[in-house]
Amino acid sequence: MQQKSLAQRMADAIRILSVDAVEKAKSGHPGAPMGMSEIAEVLWHRHLKHNPNNPSWPDRDRFVLSNGHGSLLIYSLLHLTGYDLPMSELQTFRQLHSKTAGHPEYGITPGVETTTGPLGQGVSNAVGFALAEKLMAQEFNRDGHAIVDHCTYVFLGDGCMMEGISHEACALAGTLRLSKLIAFYDDNGISIDGHVEGWFTDDTPKRFEAYGWKVIANVDGHDAAAVEAALREAKAQSSTPDGKPTLICCKTVIGQGSPNKAGTHDVHGAALGAAEVAATREALGWALAPFELPADVSQAWDARERGARVESEWNTRFAAYRVAYPAEAAEFERRMRGELPANWATALSGVFAAIAAKPDAFATRKSSQNALDALAPLLPEFFGGSADLTGSNLTNFKGCIRAGRDTWGNHLSYGVREFGMAAIMNGITLHGGYLPYGGTFLTFSDYSRNAIRMAALMKIRVIHVFTHDSIGLGEDGPTHQSVEHVPSLRIIPNLDVWRPADGLETAVAWACSIERRDGPSALALSRQNLPPLATDPALVDSIRRGGYILSEAENAQVILIGTGSETSLAMEAKALLAAEGIAARVVSMPCTNVFDRQPSEYQDSVLPIHLPSVAVEAAHPDFWRKYVGRKGAVVGIASFGESAPAKDLYTYFGITAKAVADAARQRVRKG
């Protein structure tokens, strides 16, 4: 057998580590790592700008493994290049509390930039990374001082290409000309069900050319020289004025190196088996025991010295930038740390006081815009947007600038791309430097749900603005009227769902969402005008607790729980009951998730167990049973809506102050 080059043995090291780890776990996906090993060697060994000693260095290249089931590809690379991922972690692949989970997870494994697994979301995150890089470069770079200058690389396969979200995000990437986004398409023609020509016959190169991408087609993914040439071509045009994102289409064989299973779906998602592992070792000329590597291969892969040098060079450039532009340097560092401005808390009290003083009734979508107008000047990192509904979601603010193909801005029209928008916002947040929020109608959260879930799983700060939050939107009818959406969003772990009742609650919801650094938030906002209820700025601290006593009654006999637009109904019901001599406490519950995190003593003080409770929300009633119990009552809607004016719908579905008062009266009489 002809002696292999060092580069080829470096690629084989990825193959063998992937084979060994999957075999030990008896679970996993060896096919993609084996098929993309040469591509990975070219990118990670010869081009990727990173420092294993400091995975969060600001100007590093970002790498996203969108085909996340091939997780051993990135785990092998992280181990080989010197990240804090010892061989013992590869040996515990897919085991409890290992840093090598079945799919890459952000915050678990050093060097993993985003959680991937649901196909298509990784490449969409990558679009967010590349967009953030371009915006930050436009905002902070100065002549002779390019402190933001890095690429975003993404690996993706047939599955990502089939998912609709890849169309949403990649089409926008082409329109915005994100030239430092370089994607490697692992075109192996295999998915779990077998050869894809039976269900996937797209002309992918033409598809991406139509998006406005540069496409380099028919690259032999096992020919390192061909991959190298394609990558250099992609990078050469990445900084040109008319540069485009690049798709490098690599023809590969899934499971390359396996004598009997390569090119078949059998190697996609299962261990090779002991006999085929032995055959693969023989075929590759790999005589070492499992999880053992040749010394020269390990040494060649080690990127720590090179990474430290590259970061040091950037630090020198940044020091010169700090001398020339001290204010900009300080602002860049603050924003990359994710810290709020020093004057945030001081300025916020004035914002609350001004909003609480507004006497007019506003839809909470308008209250949200009023809050944005006041908060945006305090937060240069704000990056807003909407999925083609800016005039309805009211996500723009005074003085905002629309981001365009080659122009910086802090507000983006995402187009009708709810899912893509949500995933791109995740990428923007993960990149650092901006705090993204995006709007659509609440009912369309169904489209973006999986990206919302991923943000919650990653514990990252993203804000979703969902307007037209109930049957209160009226005439558009049941296709647009949210019924089950708020309750279902509330049960996503680590997602805070705010449904404010008026202007002050809306402003507090925004403040809490901005201040929260360990997870995403969603604001569910009304189309219809709502009366001001929380008019005293002294209530701010109570609102921050997610649920509080809005209106007390001496010797209360019943509790009325309202949220969002229905809180005013609870207040009206209190007045009806008072006329009958029944004392009712009104509790406003703008965020049940936050309320549930309060000490039990506080929860019991707001919702004493001995008092009967009635909850009212224009949504599915089952969620509220956790608060009212079996003996309480919920006034809600358990069916789809109808097309009619909002006031008629509330009457038709029995979501009225009278219905709340009737339910409360019955509970009081039952004792």
Side-chain angles (χ1 to χ4, degrees):
M1 180 182 294
Q2 185 178 0
Q3 188 171 1
K4 291 185 176 181
S5 68
L6 178 60
Q8 185 58 67
R9 292 191 297 127
M10 291 171 71
D12 285 346
I14 300 172
R15 289 191 172 93
I16 291 296
L17 285 177
S18 301
V19 166
D20 287 343
V22 172
E23 187 65 23
K24 190 172 188 299
K26 305 300 181 186
S27 171
H29 298 76
M34 296 175 75
M36 298 191 79
S37 291
E38 283 83 10
I39 304 170
E41 185 274 324
V42 170
L43 175 61
W44 275 70
H45 180 230
R46 310 183 196 186
H47 290 270
L48 193 71
K49 183 173 69 172
H50 66 125
N51 183 6
N53 302 294
N54 183 12
S56 60
W57 167 42
D59 201 41
R60 70 192 181 279
D61 290 336
R62 272 62 168 180
F63 173 79
V64 177
L65 184 71
S66 191
N67 46 343
H69 52 270
S71 57
L72 273 165
L73 180 62
I74 191 169
Y75 296 152
S76 297
L77 289 165
L78 292 171
H79 168 75
L80 289 165
T81 55
Y83 286 78
D84 184 17
L85 194 69
M87 189 69 82
S88 58
E89 293 291 347
L90 273 65
Q91 293 171 323
T92 55
F93 175 58
R94 286 186 164 224
Q95 306 308 300
L96 186 63
H97 302 315
S98 170
K99 291 182 180 179
T100 52
H103 294 81
E105 293 189 35
Y106 171 79
I108 301 297
T109 313
V112 170
E113 300 280 6
T114 182
T115 298
T116 55
L119 292 175
Q121 284 212 56
V123 66
S124 304
N125 294 164
V127 172
F129 280 113
L131 175 58
E133 191 276 344
K134 184 170 184 175
L135 292 168
M136 290 288 284
Q138 291 171 327
E139 187 175 356
F140 286 97
N141 287 354
R142 300 291 185 270
D143 288 344
H145 298 276
I147 63 164
V148 181
D149 184 14
H150 54 266
C151 292
T152 299
Y153 299 101
V154 56
F155 285 2
L156 70 160
D158 294 307
C160 293
M161 291 297 191
M162 285 184 251
E163 289 284 1
I165 190 175
S166 69
H167 166 81
E168 295 183 27
C170 293
L172 185 59
T175 297
L176 296 176
R177 211 146 53 190
L178 303 180
S179 61
K180 291 185 178 178
L181 173 62
I182 299 174
F184 293 84
Y185 169 33
D186 181 32
D187 183 11
N188 60 35
I190 295 290
S191 67
I192 292 175
D193 280 356
H195 294 272
V196 301
E197 62 261 23
W199 50 89
F200 182 57
T201 57
D202 299 21
D203 190 330
T204 299
K206 287 184 178 179
R207 169 184 161 190
F208 274 75
E209 286 174 355
Y211 292 158
W213 286 54
K214 177 182 177 64
V215 177
I216 304 173
N218 298 312
V219 176
D220 182 349
H222 302 299
D223 182 345
V227 175
E228 170 82 12
L231 181 51
R232 288 188 179 277
E233 184 180 350
K235 290 176 69 176
Q237 64 90 53
S238 66
S239 301
T240 60
D242 60 347
K244 303 175 180 180
T246 300
L247 180 71
I248 302 173
C249 300
C250 298
K251 295 288 186 180
T252 64
V253 177
I254 191 171
Q256 176 78 346
S258 170
N260 302 301
K261 295 187 176 183
T264 73
H265 70 279
D266 294 331
V267 76
H268 181 280
L272 297 184
E276 189 64 12
V277 170
T280 301
R281 274 182 148 73
E282 183 176 357
L284 295 176
W286 197 275
L288 295 174
F291 302 104
E292 289 187 7
L293 299 170
D296 61 334
V297 169
S298 294
Q299 184 177 356
W301 266 119
D302 193 336
R304 287 173 291 187
E305 183 178 342
R306 185 176 72 232
R309 184 174 63 254
V310 173
E311 183 181 352
S312 178
E313 291 169 354
W314 181 85
N315 288 335
T316 300
R317 298 200 307 275
F318 190 80
Y321 178 83
R322 183 185 284 111
V323 171
Y325 303 98
E328 290 84 352
E331 177 69 3
F332 176 84
E333 291 179 309
R334 177 190 72 79
R335 285 166 56 173
M336 291 305 293
R337 291 193 301 268
E339 297 175 355
L340 295 176
N343 66 335
W344 169 256
T346 304
L348 202 57
S349 59
V351 171
F352 290 148
I355 288 176
K358 293 181 181 292
D360 301 323
F362 295 104
T364 49
R365 63 171 176 163
K366 181 59 181 177
S367 296
S368 171
Q369 188 176 48
N370 291 338
L372 288 173
D373 287 342
L375 296 173
L378 307 176
L379 296 167
E381 57 264 50
F382 249 179
F383 186 81
S386 183
D388 203 49
L389 290 168
T390 300
S392 294
N393 300 147
L394 304 183
T395 58
N396 54 340
F397 52 86
K398 292 178 180 177
C400 69
I401 300 170
R402 177 175 288 187
R405 167 175 282 187
D406 296 312
T407 56
W408 181 89
N410 54 10
H411 193 278
L412 179 65
S413 292
Y414 286 91
V416 187
R417 300 183 174 103
E418 295 88 357
F419 194 7
M421 176 180 70
I424 289 169
M425 287 197 298
N426 288 349
I428 293 171
T429 294
L430 289 162
H431 177 277
Y434 291 103
L435 199 172
Y437 66 88
T440 186
F441 288 179
L442 177 59
T443 191
F444 302 142
S445 65
D446 284 339
Y447 287 141
S448 51
R449 187 181 182 91
N450 198 246
I452 298 170
R453 183 177 185 271
M454 297 298 284
L457 198 157
M458 289 189 282
K459 303 178 181 176
I460 58 174
R461 178 169 50 187
V462 177
I463 302 173
H464 295 272
V465 180
F466 295 128
T467 68
H468 299 60
D469 69 344
S470 68
I471 59 172
L473 72 87
E475 292 86 345
D476 278 341
T479 62
H480 285 49
Q481 291 167 2
S482 305
V483 174
E484 76 277 23
H485 299 78
V486 167
S488 67
L489 288 170
R490 285 177 178 140
I491 63 173
I492 296 177
N494 201 43
L495 173 67
D496 282 356
V497 180
W498 290 86
R499 191 163 182 257
D502 66 0
L504 185 58
E505 285 194 1
T506 302
V508 173
W510 266 110
C512 290
S513 302
I514 290 165
E515 293 165 359
R516 188 181 185 217
R517 298 185 62 176
D518 60 353
S521 302
L523 279 62
L525 307 171
S526 74
R527 180 195 185 200
Q528 70 272 32
N529 289 341
L530 305 177
L533 300 174
T535 57
D536 185 353
L539 289 172
V540 166
D541 288 343
S542 297
I543 298 171
R544 283 179 172 276
R545 305 189 78 162
Y548 66 102
I549 300 170
L550 173 64
S551 179
E552 185 60 287
E554 188 176 354
N555 299 318
Q557 300 164 271
V558 65
I559 300 173
L560 309 179
I561 308 171
T563 185
S565 50
E566 290 71 61
T567 307
S568 61
L569 297 181
M571 291 294 288
E572 293 173 26
K574 173 185 172 77
L576 294 175
L577 293 168
E580 304 172 25
I582 299 174
R585 169 188 289 184
V586 176
V587 170
S588 179
M589 195 80 80
C591 186
T592 62
N593 311 97
V594 173
F595 180 77
D596 289 348
R597 294 198 294 268
Q598 302 303 310
S600 58
E601 295 80 9
Y602 177 78
Q603 296 181 34
D604 291 343
S605 72
V606 175
L607 300 176
I609 296 175
H610 69 278
L611 288 179
S613 299
V614 177
V616 55
E617 184 175 39
H620 200 285
D622 284 4
F623 173 85
W624 290 100
R625 289 293 171 190
K626 64 186 288 187
Y627 299 108
V628 305
R630 293 175 62 188
K631 294 183 178 180
V634 184
V635 177
I637 174 173
S639 65
F640 294 116
E642 298 281 350
S643 179
K647 60 181 180 61
D648 296 338
L649 291 171
Y650 272 83
T651 301
Y652 177 76
F653 287 106
I655 305 173
T656 63
K658 182 180 181 301
V660 175
D662 288 346
R665 188 184 308 107
Q666 293 174 15
R667 268 69 194 169
V668 171
R669 289 174 177 174
K670 287 181 180 180

